[in-house]
Amino acid sequence: MQLKLRPFAYKSLVLAAVLLMTASCSKGNSDIIQTPTQVSEFTAFHPETGLPLKPEDLTAEMLKEDADYGVSSKVDDKAEGEIQIMEVHDTEVDVEKSKNILLFGYTPDGSYNSHITPQCYRTEVERIVSSYNGPTSNLAQSLQSWANRCERELSRYNTNNIAAVLKFANTKYDITGNAIKNIDIEFEDLSRIKAMLGLKSGKRPLVIFKSGVYSNAADGEVTRNFFMHLFEESPFHILYLASVTGTDYMKQNGAVALGGMDEGRQIQKIVDMVSADPRYKDLIEDIHVVGVSLGSHGVLYSSLYNSFEQNSKAKIKSAVALCPVVNLEPTIKSVFELTIAGIYYAILTNQTLKEVYDSIPILRQYLDPSGLWTQKQMYDASTKSTLWHYKEKTSKTPLNGFPFEGKRVHDFSDFWEYNNFVQYADQVTTPTLIVHSRDDFLVQSIFNSDELLKKTQNKNSQVGIVEFQNGSHCALNVSNGWQTMSSMLRSFILKHSTYKVEEGLKLTTPFKAPYLNSNHKISKFTFAAAKDMNFAQVEIQYFDGSEVIAGTPCMRYDPLFAPDLCYKSKTESVDLNLISGVRIPKTDFEVKRLTRWLNTHVSLLNKNSDLVIGSNLWPTSIEANTKPDFQN
């Protein structure tokens, strides 16, 4: 089921009001009401009531996949060169299995969602990125063609945006398994922001990561997903920045702040600071920025500021904006509208404003201490307090740096204009890749990436835009395959870095092939490490067209979309001692980390040195594209 924003029923309004008004009172001078249900930007919401959705509330209808992606196409729809498809096989939703995954947490293993072709495997993403030349829009065009061709198989079983964001938000990951420093960064105006710093050994790229709305520099949904992608699975240091809309920042600075115009400037200043810091400068090869959601708005502006030589001593080499806010005004207005998403966003805003209420005096001009605030009251309080902050700030010190040199914020028209990245995109010279999904329920494409695409046309621009149909709100790695997003992020950053990745290796394997003929086709392989074991297992799945299921020969199905009983599997063992840089995992955390690394970096090759997927030739070697460095 594709969940789209739509006007909600009257009962939804009543339920939202009841939820906000029946919360228990907290103890304190302001007697503020506490919302009982903690939600975040990545909380899924009920499609009928708009209330935060719990995994146990899921139904088969909520988890039903989009019919266009969950099943195969008819023969008449076959494109030239595709495998002929004889029948359609629709898979029923296993509600209890889905509930269990979400209730007890989702642990990514780095494998694909389903069976796959070699043209859609991660190595093709890496090839496309590494071989492109010219402006970033050239790359975006190639990746868009690839996404259009591959998304049907990449997102099989994962086209439902409720389930996708629930999995993203329920990712299990022990971030404390890494050596991370909690740091405070202070700017020249004495404002401060919290961050987390993860360093590896040696000189390597630094990725500055900007989190989304109301986020602190702490463990959370975004932190877990992107520490895995950018720190574990990639050869990068990482500096994870809180949002200026987070409760820590607002309480620490006594202000309501918002918008990429400001956050982009902070990123640029941090780039200069860290590049000159004697503790870190010799560890940094070059600097790149990545953001999600509202954090991407700041990333886009940092790429803009970075494009003017006089703005910065140090330079950002590349920027990636995932599910980005591009134009602030319509996006903020949309999330406060009377929609399904608006209900749950109101709950999120309500609990945030309550937490910072005592620390920000200006809020008392717009909100009483009861906590019984309407959407309009919270919208007015948030935006008017933000405007007041920037009016005060720029009245004392005008904005510095191009394209806003010497400008001040006088009213809302200034504030919204300065935070509309679309009108500045043609001034960007920093390689900037945008990846978003059509079914994003919160940061709607119509106000954001679509408007930017109209401006750039994905031609002759350093801003390139790639759209997937599925991905929900920032859950692109769930909907389109963990390896897809891991490879895309890592490859784009490395393309614009002078860092030389350690060479990998290729090893022959003693695997014993089962009997395979023209009826067979290898369609997937998945690695799995084990605690205290010096070997990893790899399960190799292959389609068997000679099987007959309920009287129907499997050869009448598409090898990628056949019933489960049309597939067989064989498990082989890989000696970890032969893979340079790998240490035997001693803890559950190390097991999961190594498993993800194997699935995102190691491939199986046949006797022709080709990827085994799509053929009936059993693997004779394994190939790792680099050495693991997360254990250094």
Side-chain angles (χ1 to χ4, degrees):
M1 177 179 64
Q2 290 283 34
L3 179 65
K4 293 181 172 63
L5 293 175
R6 57 188 184 275
F8 55 76
Y10 174 74
K11 66 178 181 180
S12 301
L13 281 171
V14 174
L15 284 167
V18 168
L19 180 67
L20 292 174
M21 295 178 66
T22 58
S24 58
C25 293
S26 66
K27 296 179 180 179
N29 295 333
S30 61
D31 194 31
I32 300 173
I33 291 178
Q34 286 279 50
T35 305
T37 304
Q38 292 295 309
V39 301
S40 78
E41 180 181 7
F42 302 96
T43 301
F45 52 91
H46 197 288
E48 293 181 1
T49 67
L51 299 179
L53 181 65
K54 299 177 181 178
E56 59 264 33
D57 298 330
L58 294 174
T59 65
E61 182 62 25
M62 290 181 194
L63 293 170
K64 188 177 179 182
E65 296 300 318
D66 188 322
D68 294 334
Y69 283 86
V71 298
S72 32
S73 306
K74 293 285 187 179
V75 175
D76 294 340
D77 296 329
K78 181 176 73 68
E80 184 179 355
E82 287 185 357
I83 301 167
Q84 183 168 338
I85 300 168
M86 302 301 295
E87 294 186 10
V88 172
H89 175 70
D90 198 352
T91 304
E92 293 297 321
V93 176
D94 188 339
V95 180
E96 291 306 316
K97 181 179 179 182
S98 298
K99 285 183 178 180
N100 288 339
I101 290 173
L102 300 173
L103 279 169
F104 298 106
Y106 153 65
T107 302
D109 65 359
S111 66
Y112 281 102
N113 294 326
S114 188
H115 309 282
I116 196 167
T117 59
Q119 295 81 8
C120 299
Y121 186 67
R122 63 168 174 80
T123 49
E124 183 63 9
V125 175
E126 294 162 2
R127 185 197 66 78
I128 291 171
V129 175
S130 64
S131 62
Y132 96 91
N133 294 299
T136 310
S137 56
N138 290 4
L139 170 63
Q141 290 176 20
S142 297
L143 287 175
Q144 188 64 67
S145 297
W146 178 86
N148 293 343
R149 183 172 66 250
C150 292
E151 189 169 6
R152 177 168 157 258
E153 58 192 78
L154 291 172
S155 62
R156 190 186 185 198
Y157 305 132
N158 285 272
T159 62
N160 182 288
N161 64 357
I162 295 177
V165 78
L166 274 171
K167 286 183 75 173
F168 182 88
N170 283 271
T171 298
K172 289 182 67 177
Y173 177 66
D174 181 12
I175 195 170
T176 62
N178 297 298
I180 299 171
K181 294 180 181 179
N182 293 306
I183 62 175
D184 262 9
I185 299 171
E186 184 173 301
F187 302 103
E188 70 274 10
D189 62 359
L190 303 184
S191 63
R192 302 169 71 183
I193 194 166
K194 294 183 181 296
M196 295 185 293
L197 179 63
L199 295 175
K200 295 181 177 179
S201 62
K203 189 175 184 179
R204 57 185 69 233
L206 170 68
V207 174
I208 298 177
F209 186 93
K210 192 67 173 173
S211 57
V213 69
Y214 301 144
S215 296
N216 295 317
D219 187 14
E221 302 95 331
V222 172
T223 319
R224 296 177 202 134
N225 282 272
F226 290 98
F227 256 84
M228 284 187 264
H229 283 321
L230 295 170
F231 192 64
E232 279 187 3
E233 299 158 19
S234 302
F236 310 142
H237 304 307
I238 187 170
L239 179 63
Y240 187 99
L241 300 177
S243 170
V244 298
T245 60
T247 55
D248 285 348
Y249 183 87
M250 287 196 280
K251 287 189 289 187
Q252 197 169 20
N253 297 285
V256 179
L258 177 66
M261 175 195 70
D262 191 19
E263 291 204 283
R265 186 72 70 206
Q266 287 183 349
I267 292 172
Q268 184 200 37
K269 289 177 181 177
I270 290 169
V271 169
D272 283 341
M273 292 164 68
V274 75
S275 298
D277 194 315
R279 294 170 296 178
Y280 308 122
K281 64 178 183 178
D282 292 335
L283 297 174
I284 298 172
E285 179 81 16
D286 37 46
I287 298 177
H288 309 260
V289 291
V290 179
V292 296
S293 194
L294 185 60
S296 283
H297 200 225
V299 163
L300 292 176
Y301 273 85
S302 72
S303 74
L304 171 66
Y305 301 144
N306 186 68
S307 301
F308 295 90
E309 192 68 34
Q310 57 269 56
N311 279 350
S312 180
K313 296 176 182 177
K315 284 297 176 183
I316 296 168
K317 298 301 182 183
S318 72
V320 181
L322 303 172
C323 49
V325 172
V326 177
N327 189 356
L328 189 64
E329 181 181 13
T331 305
I332 292 297
K333 288 181 176 177
S334 73
V335 297
F336 277 99
E337 285 178 350
L338 300 182
T339 62
I340 295 295
I343 296 176
Y344 109 97
Y345 193 80
I347 298 170
L348 175 57
T349 303
N350 184 273
Q351 67 186 29
T352 300
L353 291 179
K354 285 174 183 175
E355 185 174 339
V356 304
Y357 189 86
D358 284 340
S359 303
I360 305 175
I362 188 67
L363 285 176
R364 296 167 204 163
Q365 293 187 24
Y366 306 109
L367 298 171
D368 62 54
S370 71
L372 303 179
W373 308 319
T374 65
Q375 277 183 303
K376 185 178 186 309
Q377 287 174 324
M378 289 186 288
Y379 172 80
D380 287 344
S382 300
T383 55
K384 290 178 180 179
S385 296
T386 299
L387 177 62
W388 179 86
H389 170 64
Y390 289 114
K391 281 180 67 174
E392 286 289 303
K393 189 173 181 179
T394 60
S395 67
K396 298 172 183 175
T397 306
L399 296 172
N400 65 326
F402 292 89
F404 303 119
E405 183 70 33
K407 292 187 177 182
R408 290 182 167 90
V409 177
H410 298 100
D411 50 31
F412 273 123
S413 63
D414 291 335
F415 178 71
W416 295 130
E417 178 188 345
Y418 298 162
N419 280 290
N420 179 6
F421 179 76
V422 176
Q423 59 188 339
Y424 305 106
D426 55 3
Q427 300 179 61
V428 172
T429 61
T430 309
T432 302
L433 182 66
I434 290 172
V435 187
H436 73 106
S437 57
R438 177 56 50 187
D439 66 345
D440 192 324
F441 60 85
L442 193 62
V443 179
Q444 299 177 68
S445 299
I446 191 172
F447 305 127
N448 295 288
S449 298
D450 288 359
E451 288 301 307
L452 189 56
L453 186 58
K454 290 178 186 177
K455 176 73 176 282
T456 68
Q457 296 295 310
N458 250 359
K459 294 178 181 178
N460 302 316
S461 174
Q462 282 294 10
V463 178
I465 304 160
V466 180
E467 176 184 275
F468 286 90
Q469 293 301 308
N470 303 293
S472 195
H473 181 51
C474 304
L476 289 152
N477 56 4
V478 172
S479 292
N480 297 292
W482 189 268
Q483 293 188 32
T484 300
M485 297 315 300
S486 180
S487 296
M488 196 174 293
L489 286 167
R490 182 171 57 254
S491 299
F492 185 74
I493 293 169
L494 288 173
K495 172 70 177 182
H496 299 285
S497 174
T498 55
Y499 180 75
K500 301 300 180 185
V501 178
E502 286 190 273
E503 289 188 9
L505 51 83
K506 183 176 178 181
L507 300 169
T508 57
T509 60
F511 297 168
K512 295 182 179 179
Y515 172 75
L516 299 177
N517 57 31
S518 59
N519 289 318
H520 300 96
K521 192 177 295 291
I522 298 172
S523 56
K524 186 182 180 184
F525 55 84
T526 305
F527 289 90
K531 187 176 178 181
D532 295 323
M533 296 294 182
N534 62 359
F535 62 87
Q537 293 186 328
V538 55
E539 181 188 15
I540 306 168
Q541 297 182 45
Y542 57 97
F543 172 79
D544 186 351
S546 64
E547 288 290 319
V548 178
I549 308 299
T552 302
C554 286
M555 67 179 63
R556 296 182 63 183
Y557 294 98
D558 184 329
L560 292 179
F561 298 94
D564 291 342
L565 293 176
C566 289
Y567 299 94
K568 294 181 179 178
S569 69
K570 185 174 186 291
T571 300
E572 304 279 10
S573 294
V574 176
D575 188 347
L576 295 175
N577 293 315
L578 299 178
I579 303 178
S580 177
V582 170
R583 294 207 302 263
I584 307 306
K586 299 296 182 183
T587 66
D588 289 338
F589 173 80
E590 291 179 352
V591 167
K592 295 169 184 174
R593 183 173 60 181
L594 179 56
T595 294
R596 280 189 295 271
W597 185 86
L598 290 169
N599 282 316
T600 53
H601 289 276
V602 180
S603 301
L604 299 183
L605 307 180
N606 59 33
K607 64 182 182 181
N608 299 325
S609 294
D610 295 326
L611 189 68
V612 297
I613 290 174
S615 77
N616 62 357
L617 298 178
W618 205 246
T620 58
S621 64
I622 65 169
E623 183 176 63
N625 59 8
T626 187
K627 297 177 182 178
D629 61 4
F630 51 76
Q631 294 175 314
N632 292 344

